[in-house]
Amino acid sequence: MQCTTDFRIKKEMGKEIFRLQMCLSMISECSNFIGSAGLAMPELRSMQRLAKDRLAAAEKDNHDVYMDTIPSRMDEIRSSRIVKSNLNLPTDMLVPNTELFQSV
């Protein structure tokens, strides 16, 4: 939902509304999958509530103030790597300076 916040800051309400609608659709799919497995995920319900509240506020703002058109299609959000997996650590971090459990 970070991209929806970026759209709100840029005053691109139509894009924010589209992304929130997509978010709610994906949450619904996830909820159906989890429900079919007989599991419960309270975090998913709270995320759904948050997305619904944001969508209602964005639709109200768009209707009352911005009157921005809601796109029917947008580019997919590409995944990105959050953590680098190929870090070259200094040798002093790789070789221990003291014996572990030496006092045991």
Side-chain angles (χ1 to χ4, degrees):
M1 291 208 292
Q2 176 62 40
C3 69
T4 64
T5 305
D6 295 340
F7 290 138
R8 177 170 292 193
I9 291 169
K10 295 177 189 175
K11 308 280 192 256
E12 295 176 330
M13 301 309 282
K15 291 180 180 179
E16 178 185 9
I17 290 169
F18 179 83
R19 290 292 186 204
L20 285 168
Q21 289 171 341
M22 293 303 299
C23 177
L24 282 170
S25 172
M26 290 180 185
I27 288 173
S28 178
E29 286 179 31
C30 186
S31 179
N32 291 340
F33 177 76
I34 289 172
S36 69
L39 302 172
M41 239 179 127
E43 296 87 3
L44 190 61
R45 281 191 291 262
S46 63
M47 187 181 294
Q48 185 177 30
R49 213 175 9 250
L50 175 65
K52 282 183 180 180
D53 291 346
R54 280 191 175 181
L55 179 60
E59 286 175 334
K60 183 181 182 312
D61 288 346
N62 191 43
H63 182 266
D64 295 345
V65 179
Y66 299 102
M67 296 175 216
D68 197 9
T69 57
I70 301 168
S72 59
R73 186 176 174 320
M74 287 180 70
D75 291 338
E76 184 176 330
I77 299 172
R78 295 186 327 251
S79 62
S80 61
R81 190 173 293 205
I82 296 174
V83 178
K84 293 181 179 180
S85 60
N86 58 353
L87 289 177
N88 295 325
L89 296 174
T91 55
D92 58 337
M93 290 182 73
L94 297 174
V95 179
N97 292 335
T98 59
E99 283 285 325
L100 292 177
F101 309 110
Q102 65 186 2
S103 62
V104 177

